[in-house]
Amino acid sequence: MPQSADKVLDHNKLFHEPEYKEMFKNKRATFENAPTAPQVTEILDWTKSWDYREKNLAREALVINPAKACQPLGAVFAAAGYEGTMSFVHGSQGCVAYYRSHLSRHFKEPASAVSSSMTEDAAVFGGLTNMVDGLANTYALYQPKMIAVSTTCMAEVIGDDLNSFIIQSKEKGSVPEDFDVPFAHTPAFVGSHVDGYDNMQKGILTHFWKDAERAETDSINIIPGFDGFAVANIREMNRMLAAMGVEYTILSDVSDVYDTPSDGDYQMYAGGTKLDDVKAAINAKATLSLQEYCTRRTLEFCEEKGQKTAALHYPMGVAGTDEFLMTVSELTGKAVPDCLTLERGRLVDAMADSQAYLHGKTYAIYGDPDFVYAMAKFVMETGGEPTHCLATNGSKDWAKKMEELLASSPYGQGCQVWAGKDLWHLRSILATEPTDLLIGNSYGKYLERDLNIPLIRLTFPIFDRHHHHRFPTFGYQGGMTVLVKILDTIFDKLDTETGTLGETDISFDLTR
Amino acid sequence: MAKDIPDPIAPEKLIEEVLSAYPAKSAKKRAKHLGVAAPVAEGETEIVSKCDTVKSNIKSVPGVMTIRGCAYAGSKGVVWGPVKDMVHISHGPVGCGHYSWSQRRNYYTGTTGVDSFVTFQFTTDFQEKDIVFGGDKKLEKTIDEINELFPLAKGISVQSECPIGLIGDDIEAVSKKKKKDIGKTIVPVRCEGFRGVSQSLGHHIANDAIRDWVFNGGEESSYQPGPYDVNIIGDYNIGGDAWASRMLLEEIGLNVVGSWSGDATLAEIENAPKAKLNLIHCYRSMNYICRYMEENYGVGWMEYNFFGPSQIAASLRAIAAKFDKTIQDKAEEVIAKYQPLVDAVLAKYKPRLEGKKVMLYVGGLRPRHVVDAYHDLGMEIVGTGYEFAHGDDYKRTGEYIKEGTLIYDDVTGYELEKFIEGMRPDLVGSGIKEKYPVQKMGIPFRQMHSWDYSGPYHGYDGFAIFARDMDLAINNPVWGLFDAPWKKSA
């Protein structure tokens, strides 16, 4: 009997005790109709071969382990960044349970959203009644300042018209006539969560700006985009912009939403962009997107309203942050202050100190399009070589931009860009053309296990490590976080490889 | 603990208070789902509550933040997903498979990607053109590609997402055709998320798919049964639960032919009808197929409960009673063998947990099944409820709970928060969506779906972990740090 009260064995130890191992062996031999060990080895080896890679990359229909989610997740995330806002997702209810769970598992925070709970009858007759009753209930129970409506694919397939449904709900008194109910159609079968983010942002701005007059001010708007590190990144950005003395409004500020204190009170609504500020944001002279692929439609709308626009690809690393600061400086006429120049110098100093360990390291990078772009750019600044860059939700246009970026540096030569490919493709790619390091999210741990390539978790979602998202990746300070994570991984690997007493420990160096 | 804690409010009063926040139409609907366990009435054998009647398993009220999931979650997420040597296609857009990817911790042994596929996300990733022109052709091609890339997969299931049923695809015809082509079991499952009112219909549909596409239409089983063959039914091996249970069943001399569906293979599904007895843990999600096996193959079934030593011992004896004296004697030996472990666990943890009040809100069987495990530790259940129970679940709950227990069916976010605030329990056991709001209120919390990434909780090995986990949740020093010292009232 392996278990004891004295030293309670958890699953990670318990099931490796002899009693359990014997049980597994018998189960497999007697009941499972399992393939033989040589068969398993043969296929395992084959899955890592060039032959398998060719067949795998030739897939046309099957998608395996894609690094993307669906539109409404992005919509719920975008809406969460507004003051007192409840997301109301029109369609089947299971979806909402999924978005909430997904966000909570990453942020380790509450994630609120409601569903209109449509079932078979709504599939036949449409979901108007669900909308009418649902808005009334949400308004009464959760007392939001705004309800942001998006859709699941069920509502999209049957063609429910949100605009008309919301008007009718207001006529029926579900919510007051002047209550803010912006909406966005967010079909799960088009694009990914980054498009849902875009659509909801556009929906919210359209709601507040469509009939408003614009009187230009010196302020600018900043749209952060879908970002698992948003909590810390937005705060870091605030710090930099305060140092510059810029007047600005963040459109969708989730920093205090997904980071509320434990003080005995659960606050369903904390932080977020003030609704008055959203209204006033039409007057901004410009809107700056920090992630172009999260905001294309939104920026078009801002342009239609007469604003200047600019779009970056996730301001990370030295040049990424330089570009952010210079763009802000250009848009606002404010100079970049010395304190930020100093921070820049510190990041460059740190990179110089460690360059010997970074130079020539090869990387596979996957994630959302803007993140992969920024990450590859930063890696090249350290003398690293991005060897495979993959975005399941990356378009041909993204691939082209990536290729331009890679062509701009000697460290990008030979890098392959994989738009629309998934993580099972990446497994084949890395099995045949391995890299030193892998940068991605928690799902990358399966690749790390299968291929023995260390994973650095730098993008959403991160489920199996806690609180990384509470430290920034944006800006020079954020660059420091990213740099240290990469270096720690490199040093840990070196120590592991040289860490066996009397065998491999010749280079088990105290100072590195 | 943070805050000056007010006296707990009586459950009846709490119900009245939460209902007053709803618009009239919804208040009326929600009233039927909330109740307080009443004393045993004359002629009744068990404690009853209003939820004993037909007021469960009905549609959730829109816009209230139900905690429920959908039929797809019940089929792919619960029943089929753990069958390890099959490839389960999330058929439709990308999201459903993405959010449910590797999230239930259905442990399994095997070589992932070669002969086991549980922690995968296979999807047809529907695009607009698939919605417009239908996805049957894409599904055919998907099956061919799976067959080429995963030659050791024993079968394929097609888990329908919402659009499939709405656009008129014929996944059954595709499955039949492709089964002929590739010679493997293919199971189409009509578990579109809009069907039914919760995960529950998805369980039922998944059970029916086993009946229609594995038992009738699958491969003929060549398994030679023995007199002590049983199946574990409705144990999804979360954190290894089914293994801790299997250990005990094997120790009392039984052979577990099929482990449904935690760590299961297709062969274990196919061979199950040859067993003598079905042992069902999660009654809610798999009673359907047990009834079918009883009617068609004469396999009897019984419910059991492997949470906590009282229920484990009672269940081992009840199971053994279905067999001969050899098994019965062994059951007594096993109970005796583990008694020192139980005594040691209780000696260590009971003093730290005695008298603590617990509120639960979980899924299939746990709102009742775990109650006695808490009782064994001297803890008290003051409220419990189910996401997707039916009337028969509430009837089965009466024997576990005490008079005055607050009962909530398909509770809403609002109600649960108010109930917790009003009752101030020492521990709440529910899901990931509830965890962080509750903890911010200063109340210890354990996820009781995923065991909060711990487990197993079944069996004697699991009970030690369960007791330790409840202790570490309740007695962690963090709950004493909530108030900043300069904010403390004089």
Side-chain angles (χ1 to χ4, degrees), chain A residues 27 30-34, chain B residues 80 83-86 152-156 179 183-187 207 209-225 229-233 256-261 263-276 278 286 289 292-293 297 299:
Chain A
K27 179 176 183 285
T30 317
F31 301 108
E32 291 192 354
N33 185 29
Chain B
W80 278 103
V83 180
K84 64 183 178 181
D85 63 350
M86 292 176 75
L152 296 183
K154 294 288 167 49
I156 293 168
K179 179 180 189 280
K184 287 181 182 176
T185 298
I186 302 180
V187 182
N207 278 224
I210 295 173
R211 178 194 67 199
D212 296 341
W213 298 87
V214 181
F215 288 171
N216 305 306
E219 298 301 311
E220 208 45 49
S221 159
S222 60
Y223 178 76
Q224 296 300 317
D229 285 0
V230 297
N231 299 309
I232 291 177
I233 305 283
V256 181
V257 178
S259 178
W260 282 32
S261 56
D263 192 40
T265 62
L266 178 60
E268 294 179 52
I269 309 281
E270 290 166 350
N271 295 339
K274 301 209 170 170
K276 296 285 173 249
N278 278 327
M286 282 211 179
I289 198 73
Y292 180 79
M293 280 196 260
Y297 309 107
V299 188

Side-chain angles (χ1 to χ4, degrees), chain A residues 77-237:
Chain A
F77 179 89
Y82 289 92
E83 178 191 11
T85 298
M86 179 64 80
S87 257
F88 182 105
V89 191
H90 184 55
S92 299
Q93 72 193 13
C95 314
V96 172
Y98 279 146
Y99 317 140
R100 296 181 61 208
S101 302
H102 206 68
L103 292 166
S104 281
R105 284 176 179 132
H106 171 81
F107 288 108
K108 318 293 177 203
E109 287 288 320
S112 298
V114 298
S115 165
S116 65
S117 295
M118 286 164 67
T119 54
E120 278 127 322
D121 51 346
V124 177
F125 301 110
L128 176 61
T129 314
N130 297 66
M131 175 78 77
V132 171
D133 291 349
L135 287 178
N137 288 328
T138 303
Y139 183 75
L141 283 187
Y142 298 109
Q143 303 179 354
K145 288 203 162 79
M146 172 161 98
I147 299 177
V149 181
S150 52
T151 48
T152 78
C153 57
M154 180 215 183
E156 288 299 319
V157 172
I158 65 172
D160 277 5
D161 179 353
L162 291 182
N163 188 32
S164 143
F165 281 15
I166 291 165
I167 291 169
Q168 291 181 66
S169 298
K170 285 188 170 180
E171 281 167 5
K172 289 177 196 292
S174 300
V175 296
E177 196 61 43
D178 60 353
F179 186 76
D180 294 314
V181 188
F183 66 90
H185 287 275
T186 50
F189 45 81
V190 177
S192 72
H193 56 286
V194 299
D195 300 281
Y197 181 94
D198 193 1
N199 286 331
M200 181 48 85
Q201 286 283 27
K202 187 186 171 189
I204 289 170
L205 297 187
T206 304
H207 171 80
F208 286 109
W209 294 1
K210 67 177 186 301
D211 301 320
E213 288 299 316
R214 184 164 177 271
E216 192 165 302
T217 63
D218 275 343
S219 181
I220 62 166
N221 301 322
I222 296 178
I223 309 181
F226 190 98
D227 178 18
F229 284 77
V231 164
N233 279 346
I234 290 174
R235 288 182 191 152
E236 180 59 17
M237 188 172 61

Side-chain angles (χ1 to χ4, degrees), chain A residues 262-266, chain B residues 1-3 5 424-426 436-444 479 482:
Chain A
S262 269
D263 58 6
D265 275 326
Y266 161 51
Chain B
M1 206 140 320
K3 301 270 127 186
I5 300 164
R424 297 298 305 187
D426 300 297
Y436 300 107
V438 172
Q439 290 188 167
K440 284 181 196 293
M441 290 156 76
I443 296 177
W479 311 116
F482 276 42

Side-chain angles (χ1 to χ4, degrees), chain A residues 10 35 54 69 75 80 243 316 429 457:
Chain A
D10 282 302
E54 276 164 31
M316 196 162 60
I429 292 162
R457 293 161 178 81

